[in-house]
C-alpha cells in the first residue's frame, strides 16, 4: 500500500474535530429541547440509515470475529461517552464542556503505550503538557462563583465522558486497522443505537417535525466526522493524533458564540493559542509516513 504522510492524517483528524464540533451545536439544541438520551438515539439511528447503504454498496460483508469484537468495544465506550457528554453539555457552555474533555487525549497517550505498545515519544508528551497549560488558562477564565448544582453536575458528567472517550480512542486505533472507515462508522452507530434501544419506550420520545432537520444535520456531520477520524487513525498512531482533540476548543468557542451567544474571553484566546502550539509540538518529530493499513 502507498504510504500516507502523518501530516495528512493529522490534517484530516483536525477537519474531523471541526465537523464534530459543528454537530455538537445541533446535539446541544436537541438535548436542551428533549434530552440527551433521545438525541443520541435519534442521531445513531439516522447515522445508520445514512452509512448503511454506503456500506452495502461497497462490500456489505459482515465483519470477522476480531473486527466485530472491536466494533462492540469501541461502540460501547463511545456510546457511554457521548451520552454523558451531551447530558452535561446541555447544562454548561460548549467551550467549557470541550475544555473538560481535553483530559481524554492526555489519558489516551498513556493508554496507547500500555494497550497498543506504542512508544511514548518525548515530543508527544511535551506537546500534551503545553496543551494542558492552555486548558489550565481556560479553566481559570471559566471559573464561575456560586455555580449552580445543575452546572456542577453537568461538568462532572463531561468529566466522566472524557474518561470513556479516552478508552474509545484506543479502541478506534485498533478498530481502524481492522476495518475501513465506512464499516467503522456504521457499526459504531449500530452498537450505540443497540445499547439505547431497549429502554427507548420509557426514556426516549419521538422527534417532532421541527426537530427532524436538527437530527438529520447531526447525523450527517457525525457520519462525516466518524469517517474522517477512522481514516486518520488508520494512518497514524493514537499518540500523534490525540492532541488534535485540543483544537476542538477553538471550534466550540466559535460555534458556542454563534449559536448560543456564549462569550469568548481573553482567557479563551490565550488558552487556545497554547493548545494549538501543543499540537504542533506533539507532531514536530512525527512527520514520517505511516504505512496504510489493510482494510
Amino acid at each position: 500500500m502507498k504510504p500516507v504522510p502523518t501530516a495528512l492524517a493529522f490534517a484530516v483528524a483536525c477537519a474531523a474535530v471541526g465537523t464534530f464540533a459543528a454537530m455538537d451545536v445541533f446535539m446541544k439544541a436537541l438535548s436542551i429541547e428533549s434530552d440527551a438520551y433521545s438525541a443520541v438515539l435519534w442521531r445513531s439511528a439516522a447515522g445508520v440509515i445514512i452509512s448503511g447503504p454506503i456500506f452495502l454498496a461497497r462490500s456489505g460483508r459482515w465483519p470477522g470475529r476480531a473486527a466485530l469484537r472491536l466494533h462492540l468495544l469501541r461502540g460501547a465506550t463511545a456510546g457511554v461517552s457521548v451520552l454523558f457528554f451531551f447530558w452535561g453539555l446541555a447544562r454548561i457552555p460548549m467551550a467549557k464542556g470541550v475544555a473538560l474533555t481535553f483530559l481524554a487525549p492526555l489519558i489516551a497517550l498513556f493508554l496507547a503505550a500500555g494497550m497498543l505498545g506504542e512508544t511514548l515519544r518525548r515530543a508527544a508528551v511535551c506537546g500534551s503538557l503545553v496543551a494542558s497549560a492552555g486548558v489550565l488558562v481556560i479553566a481559570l477564565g471559566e471559573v464561575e462563583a456560586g455555580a449552580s448544582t445543575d452546572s456542577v453536575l453537568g461538568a462532572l458528567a463531561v468529566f466522566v465522558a472524557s474518561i470513556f472517550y479516552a478508552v474509545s480512542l484506543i479502541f478506534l486505533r485498533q478498530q481502524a486497522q481492522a476495518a475501513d472507515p465506512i464499516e467503522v462508522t456504521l457499526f459504531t452507530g449500530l452498537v450505540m443505537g443497540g445499547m439505547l434501544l431497549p429502554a427507548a419506550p420509557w426514556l426516549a420520545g419521538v422527534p417532532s417535525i421541527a426537530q427532524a432537520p436538527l437530527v438529520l444535520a447531526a447525523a450527517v456531520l457525525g457520519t462525516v466526522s466518524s469517517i474522517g477520524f477512522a481514516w486518520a487513525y488508520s494512518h497514524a498512531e493514537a499518540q500523534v493524533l490525540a492532541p488534535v482533540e485540543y483544537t476542538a476548543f477553538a471550534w466550540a468557542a466559535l460555534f458556542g458564540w454563534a449559536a448560543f451567544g456564549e462569550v469568548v474571553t481573553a482567557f479563551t484566546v490565550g488558552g487556545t493559542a497554547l493548545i494549538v502550539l501543543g499540537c504542533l509540538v506533539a507532531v514536530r518529530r512525527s512527520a514520517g509516513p505511516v504505512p496504510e493499513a489493510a482494510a
Side-chain angles (χ1 to χ4, degrees), residues 38-74:
S38 297
V40 173
L41 177 60
W42 299 338
R43 191 202 69 177
S44 298
V48 169
I49 293 173
I50 293 171
S51 59
I54 301 174
F55 172 75
L56 293 174
R58 292 191 58 179
S59 66
R61 291 178 298 178
W62 188 258
R65 180 177 297 180
L68 187 59
R69 174 180 174 273
L70 290 172
H71 290 327
L72 291 171
L73 288 172
R74 198 267 167 146

Side-chain angles (χ1 to χ4, degrees):
M1 290 291 192
K2 183 179 179 181
V4 174
T6 302
L8 177 58
F10 189 84
V12 171
C14 283
V17 170
T19 306
F20 194 88
M23 181 204 67
D24 285 347
V25 174
F26 297 99
M27 289 296 290
K28 176 169 182 172
L30 286 168
S31 297
I32 292 173
E33 291 181 10
S34 300
D35 57 79
Y37 190 98
S38 297
V40 173
L41 177 60
W42 299 338
R43 191 202 69 177
S44 298
V48 169
I49 293 173
I50 293 171
S51 59
I54 301 174
F55 172 75
L56 293 174
R58 292 191 58 179
S59 66
R61 291 178 298 178
W62 188 258
R65 180 177 297 180
L68 187 59
R69 174 180 174 273
L70 290 172
H71 290 327
L72 291 171
L73 288 172
R74 198 267 167 146
T77 53
V80 173
S81 175
V82 297
L83 193 58
F84 273 99
F85 178 72
F86 289 121
W87 188 91
L89 196 64
R91 291 158 174 79
I92 59 177
M94 282 185 61
K96 191 174 188 179
V98 169
L100 289 170
T101 66
F102 287 160
L103 288 171
L106 297 175
I107 298 170
L109 286 175
F110 297 94
L111 287 177
M115 297 173 63
L116 305 182
E118 296 181 2
T119 301
L120 197 60
R121 297 190 185 98
R122 179 180 297 179
V125 175
C126 290
S128 292
L129 291 175
V130 173
S132 66
V135 175
L136 179 60
V137 171
I138 292 165
L140 291 174
E142 292 294 325
V143 171
E144 297 176 352
S148 67
T149 300
D150 209 35
S151 177
V152 172
L153 289 176
L156 288 174
V158 174
F159 173 74
V160 173
S162 70
I163 297 174
F164 280 97
Y165 185 53
V167 179
S168 76
L169 287 177
I170 302 305
F171 288 134
L172 174 58
R173 170 63 175 164
Q174 296 174 305
Q175 187 185 29
Q177 297 294 321
D180 65 38
I182 296 296
E183 181 180 319
V184 169
T185 300
L186 172 61
F187 280 85
T188 298
L190 283 172
V191 174
M192 283 188 187
M195 287 174 55
L196 301 177
L197 194 57
W202 298 276
L203 299 180
V206 178
S208 65
I209 295 177
Q211 290 175 323
L214 299 180
V215 174
L216 180 60
V220 170
L221 291 170
T223 299
V224 171
S225 177
S226 179
I227 291 172
F229 272 126
W231 186 91
Y233 271 82
S234 71
H235 293 83
E237 292 183 350
Q239 67 170 308
V240 173
L241 296 180
V244 169
E245 301 291 333
Y246 297 129
T247 63
F249 186 87
W251 293 111
L254 175 62
F255 293 145
W257 169 77
F260 303 105
E262 297 168 359
V263 178
V264 179
T265 66
F267 286 98
T268 298
V269 176
T272 301
L274 286 174
I275 288 167
V276 173
L277 177 61
C279 291
L280 295 176
V281 170
V283 299
R284 180 168 52 89
R285 297 182 185 178
S286 304
V290 174
E292 186 173 0

